[in-house]
Amino acid sequence: MKILKVKNYDEMSRKAANIIAAQIVLKPQTVLGLATGSTPIGTYAHLCELCKNGDVDFSQVTTFNLDEYYGLDPTHEQSYRYFMNKHLLTKVNIDLSSTYIANGKAEDVEAECKRLDNLIEEAGGIDLQLLGIGHNGHIGFNEPSNEFVKDTHCVDLGETTIDANSRFFENRNDVPKRAITLGVKPIMQSKKAILIANGDDKREIMKKALFGPITPSVPASILQLHKDLIVITPLDL
Ligand code: PGA
C-alpha cells in the first residue's frame, strides 16, 4: 500500500483526479469504479476541469458505481445516479450508456445484482476503483458484518450509516433502509484502487482499516490485501 499524505482536501482531490486522468490517458478504454459521498466531490470537480481543458477524454471510458439506495428512483435527488450525473457524468464527454449504477427501483433485485456482476465481468473487471470509507469502515455499502460478501447484493444499512446519510434528507425516516452494493470481489480484483479520506472524524477508522486486523467487522480492512492500493489523505495516520 502506498500512502500519499497531502496538505488538505483540495490537494487530495487534485492528486486523485490526476491519477484517474493519467489512467485514462494511458488506457482510453478504462473501466472505472466510482464512489459517492462528500469525499469524492472535489475529485470529480477536478476531473471535470481536466476534461474541459482537453487533458482527458472520457469518450471510451466505462464506469460502474459501488452502490445505490434501494427504493429510490434514478431521478430522485438523493439517488446516487442523480449524484453521479450531477457531479461528473453529464459534465464530461462520456457516453452515458456506458455508465452503470444499480437500479434502485429494480423489481427483481437479485436479477439486478447478477446483471451488474455480469457486466463487470464482461468489461474485464475494474481497472481503477475510487473508494471512500464510512465511519463504520464500510466500502461501498459493504457494512460491518461477520462475513465478507463477494458479489453484488442488497444490504440492510446500519444505524450509523443511516445517521451519517440523514444529513442529505429532510428527516431521518426518509433515508432508505436498504441499498444495492457491489461485493468485495470486484473491488479487490480491481487492478488499482485509490482510497480517499478527509476529516478528523475518519482518522480512527482509517487507522483500524489500514493497520488493524483484517476483519469483516471493519470491511475496508480487506484493502490491506489489495495488490495496488493508493491511500490519499491529509490525516496523520
Ligand atoms: P462520505 O461517505 O464521503 O460522505 O464521508 C463516505 C462513505 O460512506 O463511503
Side-chain angles (χ1 to χ4, degrees):
M1 148 186 15
K2 188 174 289 166
I3 300 182
L4 302 181
K5 169 87 165 67
V6 291
K7 284 196 297 289
N8 52 33
Y9 178 81
D10 189 56
E11 191 186 347
M12 176 189 82
S13 304
R14 272 186 293 115
K15 281 215 165 31
N18 284 336
I19 295 169
I20 296 169
Q23 163 71 35
I24 298 170
V25 169
L26 291 170
K27 183 178 177 191
Q29 294 186 343
T30 286
V31 179
L32 283 182
L34 298 176
T36 47
S38 17
T39 314
I41 289 178
T43 303
Y44 295 148
H46 284 292
L47 274 175
C48 292
E49 204 55 30
L50 288 165
C51 184
K52 199 168 114 201
N53 295 339
D55 291 322
V56 61
D57 172 9
F58 279 81
S59 63
Q60 298 178 68
V61 169
T62 299
T63 65
F64 288 95
N65 260 81
L66 284 168
D67 45 20
E68 178 59 286
Y69 286 120
Y70 180 62
L72 290 195
D73 193 86
T75 57
H76 190 289
E77 285 194 19
Q78 294 308 331
S79 77
Y80 288 162
R81 163 56 76 180
Y82 187 95
F83 174 101
M84 286 311 304
N85 283 359
K86 174 173 165 195
H87 291 287
L88 182 72
L89 301 173
T90 60
K91 293 190 174 163
V92 294
N93 65 330
I94 198 164
D95 177 355
L96 278 179
S97 67
S98 303
T99 67
Y100 298 100
I101 302 179
N103 175 6
K105 280 292 214 186
E107 270 174 31
D108 184 341
V109 191
E110 268 185 34
E112 178 62 3
C113 293
K114 221 137 198 57
R115 183 181 78 92
L116 279 169
D117 285 334
N118 289 340
L119 283 165
I120 294 173
E121 205 165 307
E122 279 162 26
I126 292 168
D127 290 305
L128 175 53
Q129 175 68 57
L130 179 64
L131 294 163
I133 185 171
H135 293 101
N136 61 3
H138 71 201
I139 41 174
F141 274 137
N142 288 281
E143 296 283 82
S145 131
N146 46 20
E147 61 175 10
F148 289 110
V149 182
K150 269 192 311 196
D151 296 323
T152 300
H153 58 289
C154 197
V155 62
D156 292 326
L157 298 177
E159 291 300 317
T160 57
T161 299
I162 292 173
D163 283 341
N165 292 6
S166 62
R167 70 192 194 274
F168 300 113
F169 291 81
E170 241 167 63
N171 64 67
R172 196 180 181 279
N173 279 339
D174 295 338
V175 185
K177 307 284 178 288
R178 305 189 78 199
I180 296 173
T181 183
L182 301 194
V184 296
K185 182 174 152 194
I187 299 173
M188 289 304 290
Q189 289 186 342
S190 60
K191 296 178 188 81
K192 188 185 275 297
I194 301 175
L195 172 63
I196 51 177
N198 177 61
D200 284 341
D201 52 327
K202 294 277 176 78
R203 183 182 294 121
E204 281 318 306
I205 193 64
M206 280 290 278
K207 281 195 195 163
K208 273 194 194 164
L210 300 180
F211 310 116
I214 296 169
T215 162
S217 63
V218 181
S221 63
I222 199 171
L223 294 173
Q224 293 178 41
L225 300 178
H226 194 282
K227 57 183 175 292
D228 189 0
L229 174 69
I230 306 171
V231 180
I232 313 177
T233 183
L235 297 173
D236 282 317
L237 295 175

